[in-house]
Amino acid sequence: MDLHDNKILPGEILPVVIIGNGPSGICLSYLLSGYTPYLSTEASHPNPLLHSKLEEQPHLALLEQDLEYLCEGLEGRSSNPVAVLFDSLLLPDSDFGLDHTSPLEWRYEPERAIPHLVLGKGPPGGAWHAMEGSMLTLSLANWMELPGLKLKDWMRDKRRNVRNDRATPAEIASYYEHYVSQMSLEQSFACGTTVTSVTRQPGNPDGSPPCWRVTGLQRREGEELGGGSCVSEEVPFSLLAHSVVLATGTHDIPARLSVEGESLPFVCHSFWELEAAISRGELDQSSDPILVVGAGLTAADAVLAAHHLNTPVYHAFRRSVTDPGLIFNQLPKLLYPEYHKVHQMMTQQQHQTNPQPQNHAQNYHPRSTLSSPSFPSPSSPTTTSSPSSPSSSSYPGYLSFPRHRVVAFRPDQKCVLESDSGERVVVQVSKALVLIGANPNLSFLKDNGRPLGIYPEEPITCRRNPIEVDPFTNKVVAAEGPGMYAMGPLVGENFVRFLKGGALAIASDLTKRQREEQGRGEGGLSTDRIMDRWMDRQVTSQTDADVCVLNS
């Protein structure tokens, strides 16, 4: 959608603007477009308490029910109660490997639709389009899907197989983009947009209420050049909205260690930089080792990619290999064999904290001659201190440094590591990959959104300092005014499986608020005009599922 061709009148206040077009924004758009969940008259839920609550008012849409009441007594893998509720309704007992039918039925009710715009920098799917395309996703395929379109059915139609009941990021990105088209949500999506400011707008003397102003730039294709190429231009836009939803995710800015030498050219902060080096032929079995810093899944993917090339790998991370918080200790071995392999490597081939000179690096002293650790070979003893490890190396060319941190990177491509006990070791590398997560880009908010976090003096991060929201509405607690919501990774919800709960919480609150305003006779002519134009764009179209969709 081109914002300048959308016939939004000057001064017109939109009901909702969603910033971010990843799975969070897509799911919320689906719920705001008139797709409404009800309890099916034929289905039952394996949780008898939840089922009995749902049966108390079966005529009411889930969006109109008391979500806090329905959440009582539910337990799950998310700290967000509405996320646990919606996941339990969409995928009952999926944590136990069971395939219960969802008790929800979806009805298309266009009269419930709330006009909205979804703004995103790229195509629908958000950061999934920027992820590495060949690795398998962490989540099961059905955990990645959105309501109304089974991922497995879509992949079967595309003649793709779901390996190990998991899909690749490239497939997931394609699915999300197709989902927007299949559900005819395109009219609400404005891609190629970069939001530069979100501010609270005071009311005007003419009676206009306070609202949110969203400004930014939209990339548009300009004059066509020779060879079929076009010159793109960025056109400014400014929107007014009663409600604004922050759904940008947290993949914008790679996290940094903030140590000496981190800006040197051999230090990288993304998996793509490793892939680019591989494609240029810079890494092979004769290369100096690469250093991978981090113990998450992206770091594991880097270890696997280098190992595939027989490029030696040093792997440094802060946690112990037995730490319950380490993601590898939370994954079933049979379902995630490639990550179990990395965990084996981390466990079996550790650098000893009391190294022997003939096999390992010397302790670092400012004036000492620096040397690098020796990798274990199939015929040499393993470097781990674990008595249960095998007597020979299963993975030559790999050495882990648990409970180590990077002290400095040096121009001569040496990296200084330090253990918890204070021992320092220096390694010579060809490249260093710092893969310790990413932070959101909230530069469009005052002070980068810090005042909205649980700890207002610290930057917003997914794990340590998410945006603080009401658990049953996802309203931002510290917002400058009413009508600001946040969802997805910004509130600590990393998995698609659970971020759908944020969409339910927000859509439910907006639905109830709209009903209250209509009951009081509020809303105004501007909102009525928007609703009329929204309804005028809708048509009834026959699909395979015999449902109505929005006209694109």
Side-chain angles (χ1 to χ4, degrees):
M1 174 197 292
D2 190 323
L3 292 175
H4 294 270
D5 296 335
N6 197 41
K7 299 179 182 179
I8 299 175
L9 302 178
E12 194 169 62
I13 305 177
L14 299 169
V16 184
V17 169
I18 303 168
I19 304 174
N21 64 356
S24 295
I26 295 172
C27 187
L28 179 55
S29 176
Y30 178 76
L31 293 173
L32 296 182
S33 297
Y35 293 94
T36 311
Y38 286 85
L39 176 66
S40 172
T41 56
E42 301 176 355
S44 63
H45 194 279
N47 184 321
L49 178 60
L50 177 57
H51 185 74
S52 65
K53 289 181 179 180
L54 292 168
E55 283 191 317
E56 291 174 7
Q57 301 184 84
H59 61 286
L60 277 186
L62 184 61
L63 297 174
E64 297 178 320
Q65 300 213 27
D66 184 343
L67 298 184
E68 184 172 359
Y69 171 64
L70 295 178
C71 289
E72 291 175 357
L74 294 181
E75 296 181 353
R77 295 190 180 183
S78 170
S79 59
N80 184 323
V82 181
V84 174
L85 169 66
F86 206 25
D87 178 70
S88 177
L89 293 172
L90 292 170
L91 300 167
D93 280 351
S94 61
D95 278 335
F96 303 106
L98 303 177
D99 191 20
H100 284 297
T101 301
S102 170
L104 298 180
E105 68 174 20
W106 291 84
R107 304 175 192 172
Y108 181 65
E109 300 174 328
E111 68 279 4
R112 289 184 179 271
I114 298 177
H116 60 280
L117 281 177
V118 184
L119 309 178
K121 294 179 181 179
W128 284 93
H129 289 279
M131 293 183 188
E132 200 281 324
S134 62
M135 299 290 182
L136 292 173
T137 61
L138 174 62
S139 296
L140 298 174
N142 62 337
W143 290 359
M144 309 296 294
E145 68 190 21
L146 299 178
L149 181 62
K150 292 287 187 182
L151 178 57
K152 286 185 179 180
D153 293 344
W154 175 79
M155 294 181 72
R156 191 176 300 114
D157 292 341
K158 297 293 180 181
R159 298 182 180 180
R160 296 169 177 163
N161 294 320
V162 184
R163 293 175 290 163
N164 249 354
D165 205 25
R166 291 156 66 200
T168 67
E171 291 167 336
I172 297 299
S174 180
Y175 164 80
Y176 291 144
E177 193 168 6
H178 176 81
Y179 182 92
V180 171
S181 173
Q182 177 73 22
M183 300 302 172
S184 296
L185 307 177
E186 303 105 317
Q187 64 180 14
S188 299
F189 279 70
C191 299
T193 57
T194 300
V195 174
T196 56
S197 175
V198 174
T199 56
R200 188 66 179 166
Q201 188 85 1
N204 294 329
D206 62 4
S208 298
C211 60
W212 297 95
R213 182 177 291 277
V214 181
T215 60
L217 301 169
Q218 183 174 32
R219 187 179 63 255
R220 295 197 300 181
E221 297 300 328
E223 182 180 352
E224 185 171 337
L225 302 177
S229 61
C230 293
V231 176
S232 61
E233 57 178 345
E234 290 188 326
V235 181
F237 67 86
S238 180
L239 304 168
L240 297 178
H242 291 295
S243 297
V244 62
V245 181
L246 308 177
T248 59
T250 60
H251 291 276
D252 294 302
I253 305 173
R256 298 177 69 87
L257 296 168
S258 299
V259 299
E260 176 189 344
E262 193 168 3
S263 297
L264 290 168
F266 73 92
V267 182
C268 307
H269 292 83
S270 74
F271 187 89
W272 289 109
E273 292 175 272
L274 172 64
E275 286 217 314
I278 293 173
S279 66
R280 292 191 298 264
E282 296 177 5
L283 297 175
D284 56 31
Q285 60 186 4
S286 63
S287 305
D288 279 338
I290 67 167
L291 171 66
V292 176
V293 182
L297 299 179
T298 306
D301 289 340
V303 170
L304 290 170
H307 191 67
H308 180 71
L309 295 172
N310 293 319
T311 300
V313 178
Y314 295 130
H315 187 189
F317 43 95
R318 297 296 300 268
R319 296 178 183 266
S320 161
V321 292
T322 57
D323 190 321
L326 198 68
I327 185 64
F328 308 103
N329 291 322
Q330 303 172 27
L331 302 177
K333 296 179 181 179
L334 293 179
L335 193 56
Y336 305 98
E338 75 278 29
Y339 292 130
H340 176 58
K341 174 183 177 180
V342 174
H343 192 221
Q344 277 187 321
M345 296 164 72
M346 294 163 65
T347 302
Q348 294 178 6
Q349 293 174 200
Q350 301 178 33
H351 167 67
Q352 289 182 329
T353 55
N354 294 310
Q356 300 172 4
Q358 66 269 26
N359 288 328
H360 308 292
Q362 298 171 353
N363 288 347
Y364 170 74
H365 297 286
R367 298 181 181 177
S368 66
T369 302
L370 306 181
S371 61
S372 296
S374 299
F375 288 99
S377 64
S379 59
S380 66
T382 180
T383 61
T384 182
S385 58
S386 170
S388 60
S389 299
S391 59
S392 63
S393 169
S394 303
Y395 307 105
Y398 173 90
L399 190 62
S400 72
F401 291 81
R403 304 179 73 171
H404 278 68
R405 68 183 184 93
V406 176
V407 175
F409 298 103
R410 301 197 153 182
D412 58 359
Q413 297 189 219
K414 288 185 170 69
C415 305
V416 184
L417 307 178
E418 183 178 77
S419 69
D420 279 358
S421 63
E423 175 205 357
R424 290 191 173 186
V425 63
V426 176
V427 293
Q428 177 76 52
V429 301
S430 58
K431 285 192 177 295
L433 284 91
V434 179
L435 302 173
I436 56 174
N439 297 322
N441 181 0
L442 298 177
S443 59
F444 56 84
L445 295 175
K446 180 181 178 181
D447 198 16
N448 292 299
R450 287 192 183 203
L452 308 182
I454 294 177
Y455 306 106
E457 302 303 318
E458 299 181 12
I460 298 295
T461 62
C462 174
R463 294 179 182 175
R464 295 180 177 85
N465 190 34
I467 293 177
E468 186 175 10
V469 296
D470 180 281
F472 301 103
T473 65
N474 275 53
K475 288 181 180 178
V476 176
V477 173
E480 293 182 7
M484 176 175 277
Y485 301 84
M487 64 186 302
L490 289 177
V491 299
E493 208 60 86
N494 273 316
F495 293 101
V496 174
R497 172 186 177 186
F498 293 118
L499 60 77
K500 291 175 278 191
L504 174 65
I506 295 171
S508 176
D509 191 64
L510 291 171
T511 297
K512 293 168 184 174
R513 201 171 82 188
Q514 181 188 60
R515 188 177 66 238
E516 291 171 359
E517 292 174 352
Q518 291 173 345
R520 294 194 301 264
E522 299 176 2
L525 294 176
S526 175
T527 301
D528 291 340
R529 283 197 300 267
I530 296 172
M531 286 297 299
D532 289 342
R533 290 206 307 275
W534 181 273
M535 295 297 291
D536 287 344
R537 291 202 301 261
Q538 298 182 20
V539 296
T540 303
S541 110
Q542 186 70 31
T543 67
D544 293 339
D546 293 322
V547 298
C548 299
V549 296
L550 300 180
N551 179 29
S552 59

